[in-house]
mmCIF file of all heavy atoms in Angstrom:
data_model
loop_
_atom_site.group_PDB
_atom_site.id
_atom_site.type_symbol
_atom_site.label_atom_id
_atom_site.label_comp_id
_atom_site.label_asym_id
_atom_site.label_seq_id
_atom_site.Cartn_x
_atom_site.Cartn_y
_atom_site.Cartn_z
ATOM 1 N N LEU A 1 0.827 -1.186 0.018
ATOM 2 C CA LEU A 1 -0.015 -0.004 0.018
ATOM 3 C C LEU A 1 0.892 1.262 -0.004
ATOM 4 O O LEU A 1 1.774 1.395 0.863
ATOM 5 C CB LEU A 1 -0.895 -0.024 1.278
ATOM 6 C CG LEU A 1 -1.934 1.121 1.459
ATOM 7 C CD1 LEU A 1 -2.869 1.176 0.228
ATOM 8 C CD2 LEU A 1 -2.633 0.937 2.804
ATOM 9 N N SER A 2 0.650 2.133 -0.957
ATOM 10 C CA SER A 2 1.330 3.402 -0.974
ATOM 11 C C SER A 2 0.472 4.435 -0.317
ATOM 12 O O SER A 2 -0.832 4.473 -0.541
ATOM 13 C CB SER A 2 1.584 3.919 -2.464
ATOM 14 O OG SER A 2 2.168 5.195 -2.422
ATOM 15 N N ASP A 3 1.040 5.315 0.431
ATOM 16 C CA ASP A 3 0.329 6.333 1.220
ATOM 17 C C ASP A 3 -0.302 7.350 0.202
ATOM 18 O O ASP A 3 -1.321 8.101 0.522
ATOM 19 C CB ASP A 3 1.207 7.168 2.093
ATOM 20 C CG ASP A 3 1.691 6.216 3.278
ATOM 21 O OD1 ASP A 3 1.084 5.237 3.521
ATOM 22 O OD2 ASP A 3 2.632 6.587 3.968
ATOM 23 N N VAL A 4 0.290 7.515 -1.041
ATOM 24 C CA VAL A 4 -0.179 8.407 -2.064
ATOM 25 C C VAL A 4 -0.281 7.676 -3.327
ATOM 26 O O VAL A 4 0.231 6.570 -3.456
ATOM 27 C CB VAL A 4 0.746 9.637 -2.238
ATOM 28 C CG1 VAL A 4 0.686 10.458 -0.874
ATOM 29 C CG2 VAL A 4 2.126 9.229 -2.521
ATOM 30 N N ASP A 5 -0.948 8.283 -4.319
ATOM 31 C CA ASP A 5 -0.945 7.641 -5.695
ATOM 32 C C ASP A 5 0.498 7.492 -6.169
ATOM 33 O O ASP A 5 1.284 8.378 -6.065
ATOM 34 C CB ASP A 5 -1.735 8.598 -6.673
ATOM 35 C CG ASP A 5 -3.218 8.360 -6.549
ATOM 36 O OD1 ASP A 5 -3.758 7.445 -5.940
ATOM 37 O OD2 ASP A 5 -3.940 9.339 -7.108
ATOM 38 N N ALA A 6 0.762 6.299 -6.741
ATOM 39 C CA ALA A 6 2.048 5.972 -7.275
ATOM 40 C C ALA A 6 1.935 5.682 -8.818
ATOM 41 O O ALA A 6 0.939 5.136 -9.232
ATOM 42 C CB ALA A 6 2.632 4.795 -6.569
ATOM 43 N N ILE A 7 3.069 6.125 -9.523
ATOM 44 C CA ILE A 7 3.126 5.771 -10.924
ATOM 45 C C ILE A 7 3.299 4.208 -10.929
ATOM 46 O O ILE A 7 4.101 3.631 -10.126
ATOM 47 C CB ILE A 7 4.352 6.482 -11.548
ATOM 48 C CG1 ILE A 7 4.116 7.970 -11.587
ATOM 49 C CG2 ILE A 7 4.579 5.893 -12.963
ATOM 50 C CD1 ILE A 7 2.914 8.380 -12.374
ATOM 51 N N ALA A 8 2.528 3.582 -11.814
ATOM 52 C CA ALA A 8 2.608 2.157 -11.892
ATOM 53 C C ALA A 8 3.062 1.641 -13.264
ATOM 54 O O ALA A 8 2.601 2.156 -14.280
ATOM 55 C CB ALA A 8 1.258 1.539 -11.554
ATOM 56 N N ALA A 9 3.897 0.574 -13.292
ATOM 57 C CA ALA A 9 4.392 -0.033 -14.535
ATOM 58 C C ALA A 9 4.221 -1.547 -14.326
ATOM 59 O O ALA A 9 4.381 -1.992 -13.219
ATOM 60 C CB ALA A 9 5.744 0.373 -14.872
ATOM 61 N N GLY A 10 4.038 -2.182 -15.420
ATOM 62 C CA GLY A 10 3.851 -3.677 -15.338
ATOM 63 C C GLY A 10 4.399 -4.453 -16.485
ATOM 64 O O GLY A 10 4.368 -3.869 -17.566
ATOM 65 N N VAL A 11 4.885 -5.634 -16.291
ATOM 66 C CA VAL A 11 5.297 -6.550 -17.298
ATOM 67 C C VAL A 11 4.633 -7.901 -16.985
ATOM 68 O O VAL A 11 4.732 -8.307 -15.810
ATOM 69 C CB VAL A 11 6.817 -6.676 -17.353
ATOM 70 C CG1 VAL A 11 7.190 -7.722 -18.451
ATOM 71 C CG2 VAL A 11 7.417 -5.414 -17.568
ATOM 72 N N PHE A 12 3.970 -8.461 -17.858
ATOM 73 C CA PHE A 12 3.229 -9.664 -17.604
ATOM 74 C C PHE A 12 3.491 -10.864 -18.564
ATOM 75 O O PHE A 12 4.121 -10.692 -19.565
ATOM 76 C CB PHE A 12 1.603 -9.313 -17.737
ATOM 77 C CG PHE A 12 1.272 -8.172 -16.914
ATOM 78 C CD1 PHE A 12 1.242 -6.862 -17.381
ATOM 79 C CD2 PHE A 12 0.951 -8.376 -15.556
ATOM 80 C CE1 PHE A 12 0.787 -5.878 -16.573
ATOM 81 C CE2 PHE A 12 0.651 -7.335 -14.697
ATOM 82 C CZ PHE A 12 0.597 -6.006 -15.206
ATOM 83 N N THR A 13 2.976 -12.052 -18.214
ATOM 84 C CA THR A 13 3.210 -13.269 -18.958
ATOM 85 C C THR A 13 2.752 -12.967 -20.486
ATOM 86 O O THR A 13 1.786 -12.277 -20.679
ATOM 87 C CB THR A 13 2.402 -14.420 -18.404
ATOM 88 O OG1 THR A 13 2.671 -15.535 -19.151
ATOM 89 C CG2 THR A 13 0.956 -14.218 -18.394
ATOM 90 N N THR A 14 3.405 -13.664 -21.371
ATOM 91 C CA THR A 14 3.068 -13.653 -22.765
ATOM 92 C C THR A 14 2.258 -14.813 -23.128
ATOM 93 O O THR A 14 1.917 -15.057 -24.311
ATOM 94 C CB THR A 14 4.328 -13.521 -23.651
ATOM 95 O OG1 THR A 14 5.195 -14.594 -23.372
ATOM 96 C CG2 THR A 14 5.000 -12.174 -23.509
ATOM 97 N N SER A 15 1.950 -15.732 -22.168
ATOM 98 C CA SER A 15 1.190 -16.905 -22.397
ATOM 99 C C SER A 15 -0.215 -16.566 -23.034
ATOM 100 O O SER A 15 -0.739 -15.512 -22.531
ATOM 101 C CB SER A 15 1.015 -17.703 -21.142
ATOM 102 O OG SER A 15 0.090 -18.809 -21.334
ATOM 103 N N GLN A 16 -0.723 -17.374 -23.861
ATOM 104 C CA GLN A 16 -2.077 -17.170 -24.372
ATOM 105 C C GLN A 16 -3.142 -17.517 -23.357
ATOM 106 O O GLN A 16 -4.314 -17.137 -23.455
ATOM 107 C CB GLN A 16 -2.273 -17.922 -25.709
ATOM 108 C CG GLN A 16 -1.435 -17.499 -26.798
ATOM 109 C CD GLN A 16 -1.666 -16.032 -27.146
ATOM 110 O OE1 GLN A 16 -2.789 -15.656 -27.430
ATOM 111 N NE2 GLN A 16 -0.535 -15.264 -27.097
ATOM 112 N N VAL A 17 -2.650 -18.310 -22.321
ATOM 113 C CA VAL A 17 -3.613 -18.691 -21.224
ATOM 114 C C VAL A 17 -3.195 -17.687 -20.022
ATOM 115 O O VAL A 17 -2.208 -18.052 -19.409
ATOM 116 C CB VAL A 17 -3.503 -20.109 -20.812
ATOM 117 C CG1 VAL A 17 -4.461 -20.420 -19.671
ATOM 118 C CG2 VAL A 17 -3.905 -20.980 -22.089
ATOM 119 N N ARG A 18 -3.964 -16.768 -19.839
ATOM 120 C CA ARG A 18 -3.596 -15.731 -18.784
ATOM 121 C C ARG A 18 -4.561 -15.749 -17.709
ATOM 122 O O ARG A 18 -5.782 -15.786 -17.882
ATOM 123 C CB ARG A 18 -3.477 -14.338 -19.349
ATOM 124 C CG ARG A 18 -2.304 -14.195 -20.368
ATOM 125 C CD ARG A 18 -2.163 -12.807 -20.911
ATOM 126 N NE ARG A 18 -3.285 -12.443 -21.810
ATOM 127 C CZ ARG A 18 -3.233 -12.608 -23.099
ATOM 128 N NH1 ARG A 18 -2.220 -13.113 -23.679
ATOM 129 N NH2 ARG A 18 -4.296 -12.186 -23.869
ATOM 130 N N ALA A 19 -4.140 -15.636 -16.445
ATOM 131 C CA ALA A 19 -4.963 -15.469 -15.299
ATOM 132 C C ALA A 19 -5.816 -14.244 -15.267
ATOM 133 O O ALA A 19 -5.491 -13.266 -15.890
ATOM 134 C CB ALA A 19 -4.106 -15.578 -13.955
ATOM 135 N N ALA A 20 -6.901 -14.295 -14.634
ATOM 136 C CA ALA A 20 -7.846 -13.179 -14.513
ATOM 137 C C ALA A 20 -7.116 -11.884 -13.967
ATOM 138 O O ALA A 20 -7.333 -10.745 -14.555
ATOM 139 C CB ALA A 20 -9.083 -13.533 -13.622
ATOM 140 N N CYS A 21 -6.248 -12.050 -13.023
ATOM 141 C CA CYS A 21 -5.608 -10.912 -12.424
ATOM 142 C C CYS A 21 -4.657 -10.236 -13.439
ATOM 143 O O CYS A 21 -4.497 -9.073 -13.406
ATOM 144 C CB CYS A 21 -4.780 -11.340 -11.119
ATOM 145 S SG CYS A 21 -3.644 -12.635 -11.446
ATOM 146 N N VAL A 22 -4.060 -11.074 -14.342
ATOM 147 C CA VAL A 22 -3.157 -10.480 -15.373
ATOM 148 C C VAL A 22 -3.976 -9.621 -16.308
ATOM 149 O O VAL A 22 -3.559 -8.517 -16.644
ATOM 150 C CB VAL A 22 -2.417 -11.622 -16.060
ATOM 151 C CG1 VAL A 22 -1.717 -11.121 -17.342
ATOM 152 C CG2 VAL A 22 -1.382 -12.336 -15.181
ATOM 153 N N GLU A 23 -5.083 -10.131 -16.771
ATOM 154 C CA GLU A 23 -5.939 -9.391 -17.689
ATOM 155 C C GLU A 23 -6.423 -8.119 -17.015
ATOM 156 O O GLU A 23 -6.488 -7.057 -17.629
ATOM 157 C CB GLU A 23 -7.105 -10.193 -18.167
ATOM 158 C CG GLU A 23 -6.752 -11.461 -19.067
ATOM 159 C CD GLU A 23 -6.142 -11.019 -20.365
ATOM 160 O OE1 GLU A 23 -6.074 -9.853 -20.661
ATOM 161 O OE2 GLU A 23 -5.770 -11.916 -21.179
ATOM 162 N N TYR A 24 -6.787 -8.309 -15.774
ATOM 163 C CA TYR A 24 -7.321 -7.094 -15.027
ATOM 164 C C TYR A 24 -6.214 -6.016 -14.943
ATOM 165 O O TYR A 24 -6.551 -4.840 -15.179
ATOM 166 C CB TYR A 24 -7.713 -7.567 -13.565
ATOM 167 C CG TYR A 24 -8.131 -6.423 -12.687
ATOM 168 C CD1 TYR A 24 -9.413 -5.973 -12.656
ATOM 169 C CD2 TYR A 24 -7.172 -5.815 -11.885
ATOM 170 C CE1 TYR A 24 -9.746 -4.912 -11.763
ATOM 171 C CE2 TYR A 24 -7.443 -4.819 -10.997
ATOM 172 C CZ TYR A 24 -8.779 -4.280 -10.966
ATOM 173 O OH TYR A 24 -9.064 -3.271 -10.177
ATOM 174 N N CYS A 25 -5.033 -6.429 -14.484
ATOM 175 C CA CYS A 25 -3.915 -5.399 -14.448
ATOM 176 C C CYS A 25 -3.613 -4.765 -15.764
ATOM 177 O O CYS A 25 -3.387 -3.545 -15.844
ATOM 178 C CB CYS A 25 -2.707 -6.086 -13.749
ATOM 179 S SG CYS A 25 -2.893 -6.337 -12.013
ATOM 180 N N ARG A 26 -3.520 -5.574 -16.824
ATOM 181 C CA ARG A 26 -3.178 -5.013 -18.161
ATOM 182 C C ARG A 26 -4.243 -3.930 -18.506
ATOM 183 O O ARG A 26 -3.912 -2.925 -19.010
ATOM 184 C CB ARG A 26 -3.194 -6.151 -19.183
ATOM 185 C CG ARG A 26 -1.892 -7.004 -19.077
ATOM 186 C CD ARG A 26 -1.967 -8.341 -19.802
ATOM 187 N NE ARG A 26 -2.500 -8.194 -21.151
ATOM 188 C CZ ARG A 26 -1.923 -8.825 -22.199
ATOM 189 N NH1 ARG A 26 -0.840 -9.564 -22.024
ATOM 190 N NH2 ARG A 26 -2.438 -8.704 -23.353
#
């Protein structure tokens, strides 16, 4: 948890079968 809004970056699996959380974050 950040006390303030934080800049967010992400790198995720390239699998064609992706978890719900991965799709959500993307």
Side-chain angles (χ1 to χ4, degrees):
L1 181 62
S2 175
D3 294 341
V4 298
D5 279 344
I7 297 298
V11 180
F12 303 97
T13 184
T14 56
S15 171
Q16 295 302 303
V17 180
R18 293 184 288 270
C21 56
V22 169
E23 294 292 359
Y24 173 87
C25 287
R26 283 164 51 136

